[in-house]
Amino acid sequence: MLASANQGGDSDVAVIRLDNPPVNGLSHQVRPTVMAGLEAALADAAVKAIVLTGAGKIFCGGADLRQFNTPAASATPSLQALVERIEASPKPVVAAIDGIAYGGGFELALACHYRLVSPQAKLALPEVKLGLLPGCGGTQRLPRLIGVDAALRIIVGGDPVAALDAVRLGMADVLIEGDFLAAAVAYARRVVVTGGAHPVAAQRPIALADRQMVFTAAREQASKQKRGFPAPLACISCVEAALDLPFEEGLKFEHQQFTALLNGSESKALRHLFFAEREAAKIVDLPSSQARRPITQVGVIGAGTMGAGITMCFANAGMPVILMEARREALERGLALIRKNYAATVAKGKLSQEALESRLSIISTTLDYQDLHDADLVIEAVFEDMVVKKEVFQQLDQVCKPGAIMASNTSRLDLNEIAAGTSRPQDVIGLHFFSPANVMRLLEVVRGAATAADVVAGAMQLAKTIGKIGVLVGVCEGFVGNRMLTPYAREAQFLLEEGASVQQVDRALYNFGMAMGPLAMADMAGLDIARAARLRLAPTRPAHLRYSQVADRICDMGRFGQKTGAGFYRYEAGSRTPIPDPEIEALIERCAQEAQIQRRSLSQEEIVERTIYALINEGARILEQGIAQRASDIDTVYVNGYGFPAYRGGPLFYADTVGLDKVYARICEYHRRHGEYWEPAPLLERLAMTGKNFHGV
C-alpha cells in the first residue's frame, strides 16, 4: 500500500513513497503508514531530510471519495493530524510532485516545507466541483503562499495548474527535469546544508489592500456563474477568514464550513454525479474485455449546425473526418460555420491559431457518397425524417466498407426501423449528439435490437476519445432524454392553459435550478422541430387525452422561436433575450376558453412539481423497461443534456432526496385530478411502498 525507503544507499535522506493505485489516494489504510514512515524518519538521527513522493506518475489524487460520510474518513490518524506533523517537522520535508497533486494530496504538499514539480505535474484544489472546499488547511495555507487573488481563482475555480504556472505563482519552488527523484533527494540535501529555519506556509504573513473590492467581485462572479451552488461562496468565506483570523482559528472555521457542505445535499448530489458519469461507461451485459470495433477515420453526412458541430468533435480529438453534403453551397456554409466557431475560441484565448489550422487540416469534404468508403464510422446528421434517413442508410449500405459502423444522430426516431432498411443491421447504432455538438458533453449511444457487441463497445470508447460522456440507451420514442422531455413540456403547456403566464412557468423552473425554463428552451431549440415530432406522433395519440393547442397555434403564426424572432416570447434583432409578449398571453387565454379550462392562480411549488414529477414518473418507466441501464444513467443524461441542476443530482436522485413516498403521494394526487397522464409508474409505486429508492435498484 505504501513503502518507505532510503535513496541511493545513503541514510541521510528518507524517501516516503505513496503507493495506492490508481491515484495514490489517502485512504484510511494509507494514512497510518505514512505517519509511521514519517515518525521513523524523525526518530532516526542519521536522517537529515525527508522526501515525500508518489509511486508511478502520480503524487496523490487526494482523499478517497467513497469514504466520505463513513467512519473510515475520520479514522486515525486523520489527514489533518498528518499535515500538522509534517508542518511541525524539525527536519525539512520536500514534496516531490511528479504528476497530479489534487485535493488532500496538494494540501499534504502545502504542509511540506518545499515543493518540487516535474514538467508534467498538475496541482489543484478541485473540491468545489464536488460541492466541498479544501478541508485540511488549503484555504488557509494557499492564500499565505501565493496571495489572496490567485488563491481565490484556484480554490473557487477548482481547475488544475500546470507545473510552470505553479512555479510562477509560488505554489511550487522549483521545476525539475531529468531524474526527478534523484534531483529531489539532492535538493533535500542542499536545504539541509543551507541551514536555518525552513519555510512554513502557515506562518507567512497575509495582507490585501483592496479586500472589499476583491471579495465583493468574487462573490458576485460566483453567484452568477455558479447559481445555486453554496460551495463557491463558502470557499470565498474561508479565504476571507485567512485574512481576518489567526491561522488556528481559520482552520476551525474552514473545518466547520467543510463539515456543513459534506453533510449537505449539494455535495451528496455532485458526488453522486461524479460516480454516475464513471458508471455510465460500463456496459452491464458486456465484459470489460469485450473487443471494440476500431474507429480511426470518420465520415459525417450533413453540414448543418449539428453536422458541423459533430465534425468539430472529431477534429478536436485529432481524428481525420470527411464532411459530406448534397450541394456545394451547403458544404461551404458548414465549413464557414466551423471556421467561425474555431475563430471565436481563438479570440477568447482558449485555442491557438496553430491548433485551429491543425484541426481544419484534418477536415476534408465531399459531395460524393463513394468518398466515404474508407471510413470506419459514418454518422448521418440530416433532417429528422424517417424517409430521408432511410434513404441515407441505403446509400451507406452500398458504399461503406465491410465492418464500418453506420450511425444515426436521430434524437427520437426508431433506430430499429432505420437498421432494418440495410443489409447489415448489426453495424447500425445511434449516436445522439446534443446541440451545440462541439460544446455539449452528453452523447446518447443508442443500441438497436441487432447492434453488434463490438459496435456498442467501440461507440462507448469513442465517446471517451472525443471527450463526451457516453450513456448507453435502448430504442424507444425519444430514447431517454427526449422521451422524458415530452411530459415535462406537456405539463408546462397545460399549466399555461390553467392560469400560469409564460414568464411565471419559466421563472419557477429557473429558480428551481434549471439552466432555462421549458418555454424559453423550446424557443431556442425551434418550435417547428417539436411540432414535426407531434405531427408524426399524432396518429398514435388517443383522442380522449387532453392536448394543448398553444404551441401549434404559435407555430401557425409563423413564430418558431429565436430563429424567427418570436415564439413563446419575442426577441429583438440580434438578441437572444426573451421578452414577454401580451399577444401570446391572449392566445393562451383563448386556447383555455376553447378547451373549457377554468383558469386559476398557480403557485411556484405546483409548477415545479407538475413538471419535475412528470420527469421522475417517466424516468421510472424508462428504468423499469430497461431503456436505461441504471438510475444514475438517467441522472447523467438529464444533468448533462437538459440543464437539470447538478446540485440536485438529476431527476431520480432528486426524487430519492425528497423521498419516494412523498413523490408517489403527489403523483397519485395529480392522477386523481388530471387523469391517466399521471398514472404512477409501477416501479415508483413498488419502491415507495417498500421504502426503497431508485439508486438501490
Side-chain angles (χ1 to χ4, degrees):
M1 187 70 70
L2 182 148
S4 175
N6 288 326
Q7 171 71 14
D10 297 319
S11 59
D12 60 332
V13 178
V15 177
I16 300 175
R17 183 179 287 105
L18 294 165
D19 189 2
N20 181 25
V23 296
N24 296 334
L26 294 165
S27 69
H28 69 293
Q29 297 105 330
V30 169
R31 297 192 302 270
T33 320
V34 177
M35 183 69 88
L38 183 64
E39 295 293 357
L42 291 173
D44 188 342
V47 172
K48 305 302 181 185
I50 302 164
V51 170
L52 183 63
T53 191
K57 292 297 182 181
I58 289 177
F59 177 74
C60 177
D64 186 340
L65 295 182
R66 295 188 186 276
Q67 293 186 352
F68 281 10
N69 296 114
T70 72
S74 56
T76 56
S78 67
L79 180 57
Q80 181 65 41
L82 189 57
V83 161
E84 289 173 356
R85 191 69 179 104
I86 289 172
E87 195 165 58
S89 168
K91 301 177 181 181
V93 182
V94 177
I97 304 170
D98 185 13
I100 67 168
Y102 286 178
F106 183 48
E107 289 182 294
L108 195 68
L110 282 172
C112 296
H113 305 109
Y114 306 94
R115 283 158 297 282
L116 313 180
V117 291
S118 68
Q120 62 266 28
K122 290 183 178 180
L123 315 181
L125 293 172
E127 289 87 347
V128 70
K129 296 186 177 184
L130 295 174
L132 296 170
L133 54 78
C136 203
T139 67
Q140 304 303 295
R141 290 184 177 88
L142 191 61
R144 287 174 164 84
L145 194 65
I146 67 174
V148 170
D149 285 306
L152 280 172
R153 288 196 304 273
I154 290 165
I155 294 169
V156 179
D159 295 325
V161 179
L164 280 173
D165 289 332
V167 173
R168 177 180 56 82
L169 287 169
M171 298 168 72
D173 298 290
V174 179
L175 187 146
I176 292 176
E177 299 190 59
D179 189 334
F180 185 69
L181 185 56
V185 169
Y187 184 93
R189 289 196 177 107
R190 286 198 299 274
V191 298
V192 170
V193 172
T194 301
H198 299 291
V200 175
Q203 296 174 358
R204 293 179 62 134
I206 182 173
L208 182 65
D210 51 355
R211 59 171 294 158
Q212 183 173 354
M213 182 183 72
V214 168
F215 284 104
T216 298
R219 287 189 169 96
E220 288 177 352
Q221 184 177 31
S223 297
K224 181 180 179 182
Q225 295 181 349
K226 295 293 183 180
R227 175 175 59 92
F229 289 79
L233 295 174
C235 287
I236 294 168
S237 294
C238 286
V239 173
E240 193 170 29
L243 274 170
D244 295 337
L245 302 174
F247 181 75
E248 291 300 327
E249 292 300 311
L251 283 181
K252 290 179 182 177
F253 181 78
E254 177 192 80
H255 180 70
Q256 291 168 355
Q257 295 291 306
F258 176 84
T259 301
L261 290 171
L262 181 66
N263 294 323
S265 60
E266 179 217 12
S267 177
K268 290 175 182 176
L270 292 174
R271 279 180 276 150
H272 160 70
L273 289 172
F274 176 84
F275 290 114
E277 289 182 10
R278 284 147 185 80
E279 279 295 304
K282 300 173 183 176
I283 306 170
V284 171
D285 57 352
L286 294 181
S288 58
S289 59
Q290 170 64 51
R292 305 184 187 103
R293 197 78 64 91
I295 302 171
T296 57
Q297 171 74 48
V298 179
V300 177
I301 301 175
T305 302
M306 183 59 76
I310 293 172
T311 299
M312 291 177 68
C313 292
F314 293 104
N316 293 346
M319 297 180 70
V321 56
I322 181 167
L323 178 60
M324 180 189 158
E325 254 294 353
R327 302 185 317 278
R328 171 61 60 185
E329 55 271 25
L331 196 54
E332 293 300 330
R333 282 196 302 270
L335 285 173
L337 179 58
I338 291 170
R339 292 190 186 99
K340 178 183 176 182
N341 289 340
Y342 277 139
T345 308
V346 170
K348 293 174 184 175
K350 296 181 178 180
L351 186 73
S352 68
Q353 186 64 34
E354 292 76 16
L356 180 154
E357 297 300 334
S358 175
R359 294 178 188 188
L360 288 176
S361 71
I362 58 175
I363 299 173
S364 56
T365 62
T366 185
L367 300 173
D368 189 346
Y369 273 99
Q370 292 296 332
D371 291 334
L372 301 174
H373 177 268
D374 293 329
D376 303 305
L377 163 71
V378 180
I379 305 172
E380 64 78 13
V382 301
F383 188 68
E384 189 76 344
D385 179 90
M386 181 61 80
V387 173
V388 175
K389 290 188 183 292
K390 281 185 171 181
E391 289 175 353
V392 169
F393 271 82
Q394 287 166 6
Q395 292 284 342
L396 292 179
D397 199 15
Q398 298 299 314
V399 302
C400 286
K401 67 183 181 182
I405 300 173
M406 302 184 298
S408 174
N409 181 54
T410 180
S411 60
R412 284 183 171 271
L413 300 179
D414 186 342
L415 186 76
N416 291 330
E417 185 177 342
I418 293 172
T422 73
S423 65
R424 36 176 156 170
Q426 72 279 2
D427 295 338
V428 176
I429 198 165
L431 294 177
H432 177 207
F433 288 79
F434 286 72
S435 186
N438 54 303
V439 175
M440 297 291 282
R441 295 179 66 211
L442 180 65
L443 177 64
E444 279 187 320
V445 178
V446 188
R447 173 165 55 178
T451 307
D454 62 341
V455 171
V456 174
M460 293 295 284
Q461 179 59 45
L462 177 71
K464 290 182 183 178
T465 301
I466 62 175
K468 301 296 185 186
I469 301 169
V471 179
L472 185 64
V473 302
V475 176
C476 66
E477 171 63 33
F479 314 127
V480 170
N482 281 339
R483 175 170 162 179
M484 290 173 67
L485 183 65
T486 297
Y488 176 74
R490 177 198 74 215
E491 290 302 312
Q493 292 179 41
F494 284 175
L495 287 160
L496 294 180
E497 293 178 321
E498 291 169 31
S501 69
V502 172
Q503 199 171 18
Q504 184 187 2
V505 170
D506 278 349
R507 188 188 303 117
L509 284 151
Y510 181 81
N511 290 342
F512 173 77
M514 299 296 289
M516 297 177 71
L519 306 171
M521 183 178 70
D523 274 1
M524 184 181 72
L527 301 186
D528 52 332
I529 304 298
R531 187 186 202 184
R534 289 195 300 275
L535 288 172
R536 178 172 55 82
L537 294 172
T540 68
R541 186 173 58 247
H544 68 279
L545 285 180
R546 179 180 170 187
Y547 180 79
S548 173
Q549 297 286 344
V550 172
D552 289 342
R553 297 274 281 275
I554 292 174
C555 288
D556 289 342
M557 298 165 68
R559 299 172 61 129
F560 301 134
Q562 290 183 9
K563 67 177 76 174
T564 58
F568 282 101
Y569 296 90
R570 64 181 182 86
Y571 301 85
E572 299 290 352
S575 172
R576 293 180 178 270
T577 302
I579 301 170
D581 191 341
E583 187 176 357
I584 294 304
E585 295 302 332
L587 170 66
I588 292 167
E589 289 186 21
R590 289 196 301 274
C591 287
Q593 198 170 35
E594 291 168 10
Q596 298 182 332
I597 295 170
Q598 186 67 40
R599 305 193 86 209
R600 59 191 172 89
S601 176
L602 288 158
S603 67
Q604 175 168 304
E605 181 184 27
E606 181 175 351
I607 292 169
V608 169
E609 279 191 353
R610 289 270 296 275
T611 50
I612 299 301
Y613 286 12
L615 274 181
I616 293 166
N617 201 36
E618 195 65 26
R621 295 185 191 282
I622 286 169
L623 183 59
E624 185 165 35
Q625 293 166 8
I627 301 301
Q629 295 189 103
R630 50 185 77 87
S632 60
D633 284 3
I634 294 173
D635 290 333
T636 299
V637 166
Y638 237 78
V639 168
N640 290 284
Y642 294 85
F644 196 91
Y647 59 82
R648 297 193 188 275
L652 300 191
F653 184 87
Y654 173 68
D656 287 348
T657 303
V658 172
L660 295 194
D661 55 340
K662 297 181 177 66
V663 173
Y664 173 68
R666 293 302 293 155
I667 287 177
C668 287
E669 174 60 24
Y670 290 134
H671 187 208
R672 286 190 290 271
R673 286 164 52 184
H674 299 291
E676 65 185 85
Y677 276 132
W678 281 96
E679 182 178 353
L683 175 62
L684 173 61
E685 182 176 17
R686 288 199 305 275
L687 294 175
M689 293 295 100
T690 55
K692 296 179 180 178
N693 60 45
F694 285 121
H695 294 86
V697 174

